[in-house]
Amino acid sequence: MFSRRDFLRTTALGGAASLFSPHVLLSATRPKKDKLGIALVGLGYYSTDLLAPALQLTKNCELVGIVTGTPSKAETWKQKYNLKDKNIYNYQNFDQIANNPDIDVIYVVLPPSMHREYVVRAAKAGKQVFCEKPMAPSVADCEAMIKACADNKVKLAIGYRCQHDPNTQAYMKFAKEKTFGKVRMVTCGAGYFDARTTHWKQNKALGGGVMGDMGVYALQGARLATGEEPISATAQFHTTRPDIYKEVEETATFQLEFPSGALAACHTSFGINMNYLQANCEKGWFKMEPFSSYSGNKGSSPLGAIDFPLQSQQAKQLDDDVEALMKSTSLIAPGEEGLRDIRVVEAIYKSVANGGKTIKI
């Protein structure tokens, strides 16, 4: 069994290694790999049920390490994925990952309030960084994460899996090429009924609230369907379960205005099931339902069906991002993309705090 004693031994060994093996020296002497090694930080539902299985399907990368505060999880993952003891870390010895040449990329899959700390620490360890969405609770956090990665000459990718989905890319192409003329109105909804009561999504200190989570999908839908960045936001919050959503919003509706004059009406909720997008244009329309599910996203337009099969969004996201690292090409969703969303989210919160006033962005 992988015990607490093993954790302490790993800590001690890692500490000794750090005296002799600065990550800058390691990175300079590492041979090029056919596959990059990824370590997942945080072993909750998304890592366990989606990312780890996806990493069994990837061509450019593989699961080689984990970071967890629970020794029993470490043992389970070690056995299931044949992980080496030296690639298993906890939150105390995390920084010693700098000296581990097996691990090239650190994927932060923690509550949003912890994203900044672990992205910055990963960057200082000299590792490439992937971070799950929402990027962080504030613009200031996002900017600090981007700066830390730039200062340490590593890349930062945000886990916007849908942007890697060919179905999403199809409607983004309509916007970019103005296939049906300019987009005039987008209506978009992303939500589900969450029966949990003590998850981070209900906890303000951990980065909870629907706007930072499902709200980002609705916001992304509007941004990607117009191909523009909003210039103003107006918003309203609601709850039907005030005993659970005491600190954060359960449901949000918000309206966006874009430079071209396009408008968007967006809805998001932890209490209502919805997943749709429709864009009405000068000379036509396109729609998706669902538009942001883990699988099966599909839609239509006057040109026909939008329905491109995809085995795993997460596997494609990981392979796309790692290929960009290997070839030194642009990431599909770099840190700046996460920042753009959180800038609008902050404006939405400001609108609600000011009685639904329209806030310029």
Side-chain angles (χ1 to χ4, degrees):
M1 291 289 289
F2 196 91
S3 65
R4 292 184 185 276
R5 183 179 298 172
D6 295 320
F7 260 50
L8 293 173
R9 185 170 66 239
T10 302
T11 304
L13 290 172
S18 66
L19 296 175
F20 305 102
S21 315
H23 69 79
V24 290
L25 295 179
L26 278 172
S27 61
T29 58
R30 285 175 193 152
K32 287 194 173 183
K33 300 179 177 180
D34 293 328
K35 285 189 173 186
L36 298 191
I38 291 185
L40 298 177
V41 184
L43 305 182
Y45 161 76
Y46 197 72
S47 284
T48 301
D49 287 16
L50 292 159
L51 290 176
L55 280 161
Q56 310 314 301
L57 305 173
T58 47
K59 299 175 183 177
N60 298 328
C61 52
E62 58 188 341
L63 176 65
V64 298
I66 54 173
V67 180
T68 178
T70 309
S72 60
K73 283 187 179 181
E75 177 63 26
T76 298
W77 280 64
K78 174 187 172 182
Q79 298 298 331
K80 186 171 184 178
Y81 295 109
N82 195 29
L83 302 177
K84 299 175 183 176
D85 283 349
K86 72 183 185 70
N87 293 349
I88 298 174
Y89 295 83
N90 56 44
Y91 296 107
Q92 287 69 47
N93 66 11
F94 173 86
D95 300 306
Q96 292 156 16
I97 211 165
N99 305 306
N100 191 332
D102 289 356
I103 296 170
D104 305 289
V105 180
I106 293 174
Y107 197 148
V108 179
V109 199
L110 295 164
S113 62
M114 302 173 73
H115 286 183
R116 175 177 176 172
E117 176 186 351
Y118 282 90
V119 165
V120 170
R121 289 171 72 177
K124 288 182 177 179
K127 304 299 181 180
Q128 308 295 332
V129 191
F130 297 168
C131 179
E132 200 38 55
K133 51 93 14 214
M135 183 174 174
S138 72
V139 165
D141 287 338
C142 295
E143 290 175 338
M145 293 157 70
I146 292 169
K147 184 177 186 299
C149 290
D151 287 349
N152 288 279
K153 296 181 172 53
V154 297
K155 298 291 187 180
L156 172 60
I158 307 303
Y160 286 125
R161 56 184 171 77
C162 288
Q163 291 199 31
H164 299 261
D165 187 325
N167 296 284
T168 302
Q169 292 172 353
Y171 78 75
M172 290 175 66
K173 187 177 180 182
F174 291 153
K176 182 178 181 179
E177 297 182 356
K178 295 183 172 55
T179 307
F180 308 111
K182 291 182 179 179
V183 174
R184 292 304 192 193
M185 169 63 79
V186 176
T187 52
C188 190
Y192 69 97
F193 184 85
D194 194 334
R196 295 171 294 191
T197 60
T198 58
H199 194 261
W200 67 259
K201 295 180 183 183
Q202 289 94 38
N203 187 320
K204 186 174 183 179
L206 294 179
V210 76
M211 264 318 306
D213 187 56
M214 295 307 293
V216 169
Y217 288 112
L219 171 55
Q220 281 260 314
R223 288 181 53 239
L224 302 182
T226 60
E228 299 183 77
E229 299 304 321
I231 57 174
S232 73
T234 310
Q236 307 81 35
F237 290 167
H238 316 271
T239 184
T240 57
R241 295 179 288 170
D243 54 321
I244 299 172
Y245 290 89
K246 299 183 287 286
E247 301 178 353
V248 297
E249 72 283 357
E250 178 185 16
T251 297
T253 58
F254 56 98
Q255 302 79 49
L256 305 172
E257 181 184 3
F258 294 87
S260 66
L263 302 173
C266 302
H267 315 87
T268 185
S269 182
F270 285 145
I272 304 167
N273 290 312
M274 52 182 162
N275 198 312
Y276 64 89
L277 178 150
Q278 175 149 342
N280 292 91
C281 312
E282 292 174 307
K283 303 172 184 177
W285 50 270
F286 53 91
K287 61 184 178 181
M288 303 287 297
E289 189 168 0
F291 83 100
S292 64
S293 290
Y294 288 143
S295 63
N297 293 326
K298 59 184 178 180
S300 60
S301 78
L303 299 179
I306 302 170
D307 190 3
F308 297 96
L310 181 63
Q311 182 180 15
S312 168
Q313 284 178 345
Q314 287 81 9
K316 189 170 189 307
Q317 169 202 328
L318 288 157
D319 269 339
D320 285 350
D321 286 342
V322 170
E323 183 177 15
L325 296 179
M326 288 175 157
K327 295 182 176 179
S328 297
T329 55
S330 298
L331 292 159
I332 285 179
E336 289 77 9
E337 177 72 350
L339 171 61
R340 283 189 278 268
D341 278 338
I342 300 306
R343 189 174 284 124
V344 181
V345 170
E346 281 198 351
I348 287 168
Y349 279 117
K350 187 174 180 181
S351 172
V352 172
N354 286 274
K357 180 182 178 181
T358 297
I359 302 298
K360 298 294 182 183
I361 302 171

